[in-house]
Amino acid sequence: MHDYNSTSKTFLITGGAGFIGSAVIRYLIQETNHAIINVDKLTYAGNLESLVEVADNDRYHFEQADICDAEAIEQLFDKYSPDAVMHLAAESHVDRSISGPADFIHTNITGTYIMLEEARRHWMALDEKEKTRFRFHHISTDEVYGSLGATGLFTEQTAYDPSSPYSASKASSDHLVRAWHRTYGLPVVLTNCSNNYGPYQFPEKLIPLIILNALEGKPLPIYGAGDQIRDWLYVDDHARALYKVVTEGLVGETYNIGGNNEKTNLEVVNTLCGILDERVPEHPAGIKHYADLITYVDDRPGHDQRYAIDASKIMQDLDWQPDETFETGMRKTVNWYLDNQQWCQRVMDGSYRRERLGLIQETNS
Ligand code: NAD
């Protein structure tokens, strides 16, 4: 372990205006004394309103930049000389990757290559002590491992077998990150995490989509029979895990992160509907239970059947475990969306109004 926890360091975080990146920044500002450089292009998925709690803090700096713009990224490394990079910026929605893969290839693969090259250039110029301490942390997904059958868990040794353009692009970027370690010695760490949920998630993903549609009495779309299984993790538990890995993880290592909460999509939707029945008993016209709004739609092409994470390595080696159970996390999430409908209204601009049926619908990530 190095001395990140006792002294103030500079963290350059890409994608900090997104769902997970904003949770990481809120955590770092509130729980540590580090300085944060948030580098984000502000695509449709990025929203600075997710950072209002910390935006006025002296240790927080925002830079609007595209990770595919090498010159801009080079200037930011020179300006801030970060001690660590946490690279989260990505195109992240599977359905969008099916209807338009180009942005995923560009941002997730070329963008990661540019981040690696600029990080390497910066790292090469550091003195030996700083070089040893520097970290490049790539934040990735369990979807790189493909689909599981009824049994088994993804471990850090599971072979990559991605199904969608999104997961293939993340698999590619993971390979690049490992190659920059093996070839150039760049001190990297990687994490592959299961589906996240919680506050500030863009309302195209399953959980906010279901909550907001239910409140408006709109159909709750479920792919196929709703029997696909995902392993759910509350986003603040992920943020804590990421900080553990970037500060205490071993260089070159990969850590799987998961909540040990395997649920079918139908179970997730029914849980949300049950909480809403209690919290908002005035149902929209024509229904008695929010679950009455469930509507089955054609399955997503290449839809993986089951993801499940073996997180024993991070639990044992880095002493991390989730604080939230599925029940407590879901309740917190529903409460947050009920209390923050203005945030939801604001982030839903003309490009996305939860109305697009077909490929753009439902499901997380
Ligand atoms: P998100 O879509 O909510 O946010 C992505 C952020 O990246 C946005 O703020 C966006 O503006 C920014 N961005 C996109 N392209 C950019 C570019 N070219 N240059 C600079 N910024 C750019 O995504 P998320 O759900 O917060 O996921 C963050 C990371 O975590 C991603 O790398 C994703 O693959 C990974 N991940 C997500 C999940 C999940 O369940 N959401 C699970 C595991 C891993």
Side-chain angles (χ1 to χ4, degrees), residues 14-22 39-47 65-68 87-93 106-108 111 138-143 166 170 191-197 200-202 204-205 232 238 364-365:
T14 70
F19 168 48
I20 300 171
S22 67
V39 177
D40 200 295
K41 181 182 175 181
L42 298 182
T43 69
Y44 80 95
N47 202 299
D66 185 340
I67 58 164
C68 300
H87 175 39
L88 295 100
E91 288 291 336
S92 71
H93 192 44
H106 190 54
T107 293
N108 299 1
H138 187 229
I139 285 77
S140 191
T141 166
D142 62 352
E143 301 191 29
Y166 164 68
K170 292 297 290 188
T191 48
N192 294 84
C193 186
S194 59
N195 278 20
N196 282 218
Y197 69 98
Y200 298 103
Q201 188 168 29
F202 193 78
E204 69 186 341
K205 303 284 173 82
W232 293 92
H238 189 194
N364 204 63
S365 69

Side-chain angles (χ1 to χ4, degrees), residues 4-283:
Y4 276 94
N5 294 318
S6 53
T7 51
S8 175
K9 302 285 172 216
T10 300
F11 283 66
L12 189 155
I13 299 188
T14 70
F19 168 48
I20 300 171
S22 67
V24 171
I25 292 178
R26 290 191 302 272
Y27 176 79
L28 286 169
I29 291 289
Q30 287 160 359
E31 304 294 331
T32 77
N33 58 0
H34 303 307
I36 308 305
I37 319 304
N38 175 14
V39 177
D40 200 295
K41 181 182 175 181
L42 298 182
T43 69
Y44 80 95
N47 202 299
L48 293 177
E49 295 205 20
S50 308
L51 291 159
V52 282
E53 287 168 46
V54 298
D56 291 337
N57 193 293
D58 291 346
R59 289 181 287 119
Y60 172 77
H61 308 273
F62 173 65
E63 296 279 358
Q64 184 165 6
D66 185 340
I67 58 164
C68 300
D69 180 345
E71 207 175 307
I73 299 300
E74 178 181 354
Q75 283 171 10
L76 292 176
F77 271 100
D78 291 348
K79 180 172 173 188
Y80 292 105
S81 193
D83 299 288
V85 173
M86 297 177 80
H87 175 39
L88 295 100
E91 288 291 336
S92 71
H93 192 44
V94 173
D95 290 333
R96 286 180 187 265
S97 84
I98 295 169
S99 52
D103 285 348
F104 288 72
I105 305 305
H106 190 54
T107 293
N108 299 1
I109 304 178
T110 307
T112 299
Y113 156 71
I114 285 167
M115 287 304 302
L116 285 165
E117 274 299 75
E118 294 309 324
R120 183 167 76 95
R121 189 192 55 78
H122 163 71
W123 173 73
M124 295 279 287
L126 297 175
D127 67 32
E128 283 313 309
K129 198 171 159 217
E130 291 168 334
K131 258 189 173 161
T132 315
R133 217 172 41 197
F134 183 80
R135 291 291 178 276
F136 185 99
H137 179 178
H138 187 229
I139 285 77
S140 191
T141 166
D142 62 352
E143 301 191 29
V144 298
Y145 298 125
S147 185
L148 287 165
T151 58
L153 298 170
F154 296 134
T155 73
E156 289 81 2
Q157 280 72 47
T158 302
Y160 277 29
D161 187 21
S163 302
S164 71
Y166 164 68
S167 52
S169 69
K170 292 297 290 188
S172 307
S173 56
D174 284 358
H175 290 322
L176 291 175
V177 173
R178 290 196 183 94
W180 258 244
H181 173 59
R182 291 182 196 162
T183 307
Y184 305 111
L186 187 71
V188 307
V189 283
L190 295 94
T191 48
N192 294 84
C193 186
S194 59
N195 278 20
N196 282 218
Y197 69 98
Y200 298 103
Q201 188 168 29
F202 193 78
E204 69 186 341
K205 303 284 173 82
L206 176 63
I207 287 174
L209 177 91
I210 294 297
I211 297 169
L212 298 181
N213 275 17
L215 292 174
E216 291 172 23
K218 288 185 177 170
L220 309 182
I222 301 269
Y223 276 138
D227 58 353
Q228 299 87 4
I229 293 173
R230 302 290 178 261
D231 176 1
W232 293 92
L233 182 68
Y234 192 68
V235 67
D236 292 348
D237 282 326
H238 189 194
R240 271 192 310 109
L242 294 178
Y243 183 62
K244 279 255 174 200
V245 171
V246 74
T247 54
E248 299 175 32
L250 292 182
V251 167
E253 291 288 314
T254 295
Y255 297 86
N256 281 353
I257 307 173
N260 208 8
N261 285 313
E262 280 187 56
K263 303 286 172 198
T264 66
N265 286 341
L266 196 54
E267 282 175 304
V268 170
V269 174
N270 277 321
T271 301
L272 292 169
C273 289
I275 298 172
L276 284 171
D277 283 337
E278 277 174 35
R279 285 291 325 272
V280 192
E282 312 78 30
H283 290 83

